[in-house]
Amino acid sequence: MIIYRLYIIADTRALHDELTKLPNRRYFMQSYRQQFELAKRYKKQHNFALVNLDLDHLKRVNDTYGHDAGDKVLLETAKRVKGSLRRSDMVARMGGDEFLIMLYNPKSEESLQALLKKIELTLCSTPVIYGEDLITLNISMGYAMFKPEIASPEQMMKTADARMYQHKRGKYH
């Protein structure tokens, strides 16, 4: 019984981010590739969408307020994003200031964009309280909706990444 519990704890730690308790890169990528293959096999249009979310200026938060403040920002980000999604959707911390979201069966590109606006409002309209300081969040997001003509999970990921960097450049240049 003890060995089994230790196995469960080790397995959970191997697949989840230690700080946020969200799925980690390994867990997410495994799920993402499976979802991509299923969607590809059944040629489902818009069966799922991939969203890349990046916290802007987390290094500045760490440098200004300390790493505990950065951790608080990451925890609050995880909580707020998860609270904006349906239970069936998945958010994972990929490391550092990057999160990936897998949204199942978005109705349309317009509904996906509306959800992204909701996530941005949820994250950025209320500062994170750290002691007596208020830390305002800024994010950049990009997305890709599954289409049967997408060749690979990597190609879909590149589309979401490119849109995220385009969003970031549009805000800061």
Side-chain angles (χ1 to χ4, degrees):
M1 190 65 167
I2 292 172
I3 292 172
Y4 178 73
R5 272 199 213 133
L6 290 173
Y7 169 78
I8 295 298
I9 290 167
D11 191 52
T12 300
R13 285 185 181 159
L15 299 174
H16 290 81
D17 176 62
E18 196 172 320
L19 177 67
T20 63
K21 307 302 183 229
L22 292 175
N24 63 15
R25 173 181 293 279
R26 183 173 162 208
Y27 184 110
F28 185 89
M29 293 308 291
Q30 190 175 10
S31 300
Y32 168 62
R33 285 192 178 97
Q34 286 174 343
Q35 183 63 35
F36 186 91
E37 292 308 317
L38 278 173
K40 192 88 169 153
R41 182 178 311 145
Y42 295 107
K43 295 176 178 37
K44 296 259 185 159
Q45 188 78 2
H46 306 311
N47 188 33
F48 75 102
L50 178 69
V51 178
N52 186 342
L53 185 152
D54 190 64
L55 276 171
D56 298 334
H57 312 301
L58 184 64
K59 183 180 178 343
R60 188 182 308 159
V61 170
N62 285 331
D63 291 348
T64 305
Y65 304 103
H67 287 276
D68 286 345
D71 287 352
K72 172 88 183 217
V73 165
L74 289 166
L75 284 164
E76 193 61 30
T77 299
K79 182 177 133 190
R80 291 180 189 184
V81 171
K82 196 169 181 177
S84 299
L85 303 176
R86 299 169 297 186
R87 225 184 216 148
S88 60
D89 299 328
M90 178 192 290
V91 60
R93 180 170 175 223
M94 301 306 279
D97 57 4
E98 184 185 359
F99 295 81
L100 284 179
I101 303 166
M102 194 162 31
L103 302 165
Y104 296 97
N105 297 314
K107 289 182 178 77
S108 65
E109 196 157 349
E110 292 76 27
S111 68
L112 173 61
Q113 289 174 350
L115 175 62
L116 296 183
K117 282 184 181 22
K118 175 187 168 188
I119 291 170
E120 187 167 20
L121 189 64
T122 301
L123 286 172
C124 301
S125 64
T126 307
V128 173
I129 300 168
Y130 181 72
E132 295 179 15
D133 296 306
L134 299 178
I135 301 170
T136 303
L137 302 182
N138 291 297
I139 62 167
S140 298
M141 286 188 287
Y143 69 91
M145 293 184 78
F146 176 80
K147 294 179 177 136
E149 58 271 14
I150 296 175
S152 68
E154 292 77 19
Q155 182 185 4
M156 190 170 168
M157 185 84 62
K158 282 180 185 174
T159 300
D161 283 347
R163 283 186 172 142
M164 188 269 299
Y165 284 112
Q166 188 176 24
H167 183 215
K168 190 181 291 274
R169 276 193 307 275
K171 290 192 311 187
Y172 299 112
H173 291 96

